[in-house]
Structure formats: structure tokens, C-alpha cells
């Protein structure tokens, strides 16, 4: 089955998940780590939006317990050209798991596309997520299939004076 989800809102950088705060203990200032409130707010909003969309597919379809392939498109305003989308990908995986869309985010076996598109107006960020369960054949190929490495890889191993282990 194929599912499409959207998230409208600010996606925090994974690097900003925690922040250091300080408190006074016995007259001495001690640092401690807390969850970043902005991250918690974004997660809460994303979970709510996912839940609304899960209802339209039927809650009995979730959580997905089989391996999936996903495609992500991040629509950003022109002001965030420097946005690092690999951190945003991690946020999406975490939210899909916390929101009960996926049993675990490690079920993402393949990312077909990850795109960043600039110039959206009226919203800070929009994420379009497409999720499709892998067929049994695709799953077995990912889990038990022999890797199809390019010839250049073997040439590279020779330069490193390494040999590919024989699994025979």
C-alpha cells in the first residue's frame, strides 16, 4: 500500500534537539541538558498532523511493520537556502516512528528521492512524504541479496591493498 503524508511547519535541525541550560545548586551554577522547547513544539505539531492524515487511511493500517521505501520533498521559502536537509530527514524518521506510522524508523530500507525545493510562499516549510511497503521480492533482495558493487570499487580495494572477503 502507498501512503502520502504532509507536514506544514518548522522542521528543527537534529543538532538542536537538546540544549544546555543552567541552574543554581548550593550557590554554584551547574549545567544540565534539556529538550529544546522549539523541537518539542515541532514534534507535537507534526504528530497531530500525522494523526489527522492516518485517520483518512484508517488507523488499522498503522503502524506499518514491514520494510518501506520513502520519498521526501522539502518545500522551503527562499530565505532558507542554507537549510541542511539531511538533519530534517532524521526528524521525519523520528516523527514517523513516534506518530505510529512506522513501527520503527529502521524499517526505512530505501529512500527513492530526497529533494529540496525553494520558493514556497505563505508557509515556513512543507514536507511531502510518500511511503510504500516493499514487495516480498524487494525486501528479500535488500536482506539477502548479494551486493552489486561496481567494478571501480574492486579497483579501489586493490589500491588500498585489501581483498573482498569470500563469502563462499
Amino acid at each position: 500500500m502507498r501512503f502520502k503524508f504532509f507536514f506544514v511547519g518548522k522542521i528543527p535541525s537534529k543538532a538542536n534537539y537538546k540544549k544546555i541550560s543552567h541552574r543554581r545548586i548550593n550557590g554554584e551554577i551547574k549545567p544540565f541538558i534539556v529538550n529544546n522547547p522549539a523541537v518539542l513544539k515541532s514534534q507535537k505539531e507534526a504528530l497531530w498532523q500525522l494523526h489527522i492524515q492516518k485517520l483518512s487511511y484508517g488507523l488499522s493500517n498503522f503502524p506499518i511493520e514491514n520494510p518501506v521505501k520513502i520519498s521526501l520533498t522539502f518545500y522551503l521559502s527562499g530565505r532558507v537556502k542554507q537549510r541542511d536537509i539531511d538533519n530534517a530527514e532524521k526528524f521525519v524518521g523520528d516523527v514517523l516512528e513516534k506518530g505510529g506510522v512506522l513501527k520503527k524508523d529502521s524499517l526505512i530500507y530505501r529512500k527513492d528521492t530526497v529533494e529540496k525545493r525553494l520558493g514556497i510562499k505563505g508557509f515556513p516549510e512543507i514536507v511531502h512524504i510518500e511511503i510504500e511497503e516493499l514487495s516480498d521480492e524487494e525486501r528479500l533482495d535488500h536482506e539477502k541479496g548479494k551486493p552489486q558493487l561496481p567494478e571501480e570499487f574492486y579497483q579501489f580495494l586493490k589500491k588500498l591493498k585489501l581483498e573482498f572477503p569470500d563469502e563462499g
Side-chain angles (χ1 to χ4, degrees):
M1 192 164 187
R2 183 181 203 113
F3 302 97
K4 289 186 181 186
F5 292 97
F6 300 91
F7 170 64
V8 177
K10 181 80 172 116
I11 295 183
S13 164
K14 184 78 170 173
N16 295 334
Y17 268 34
K18 305 280 183 190
K19 76 177 207 175
I20 297 175
S21 195
H22 297 83
R23 67 177 156 214
R24 188 175 298 274
I25 300 175
N26 298 329
E28 192 176 334
I29 296 178
K30 299 272 189 177
F32 65 101
I33 297 173
V34 295
N35 288 324
N36 187 329
V39 172
L40 294 174
K41 181 180 178 192
S42 291
Q43 282 180 340
K44 186 176 178 181
E45 182 66 25
L47 293 173
W48 178 75
Q49 290 181 28
L50 283 176
H51 181 71
I52 290 171
Q53 294 169 84
K54 281 175 26 183
L55 290 173
S56 67
Y57 287 114
L59 291 176
S60 62
N61 289 310
F62 302 100
I64 299 170
E65 297 184 2
N66 297 318
V68 297
K69 55 186 170 185
I70 68 169
S71 293
L72 301 171
T73 305
F74 296 92
Y75 297 95
L76 311 171
S77 71
R79 293 177 287 136
V80 287
K81 287 181 186 173
Q82 303 301 321
R83 183 74 154 101
D84 186 359
I85 63 172
D86 60 329
N87 287 329
E89 286 179 67
K90 294 172 191 165
F91 175 82
V92 170
D94 291 347
V95 167
L96 289 174
E97 182 177 335
K98 284 183 182 175
V101 174
L102 298 175
K103 179 105 173 153
K104 293 223 165 257
D105 62 358
S106 61
L107 289 170
I108 300 171
Y109 274 35
R110 187 169 83 207
K111 291 181 183 171
D112 281 349
T113 59
V114 177
E115 292 184 71
K116 174 168 74 172
R117 300 203 169 220
L118 301 175
I120 190 158
K121 300 207 186 307
F123 298 101
E125 298 176 358
I126 298 173
V127 183
H128 175 198
I129 306 160
E130 291 191 28
I131 302 171
E132 185 175 355
E133 286 187 55
L134 293 177
S135 68
D136 288 340
E137 183 180 314
E138 289 173 304
R139 180 186 59 77
L140 287 172
D141 184 50
H142 279 273
E143 292 175 354
K144 296 180 178 18
K146 286 207 171 231
Q148 301 294 323
L149 298 166
E151 181 59 36
E152 293 84 359
F153 173 73
Y154 297 102
Q155 293 169 6
F156 174 66
L157 285 180
K158 286 179 185 175
K159 289 179 183 177
L160 296 175
K161 298 183 176 147
L162 297 173
E163 292 183 26
F164 196 75
D166 183 19
E167 298 175 4

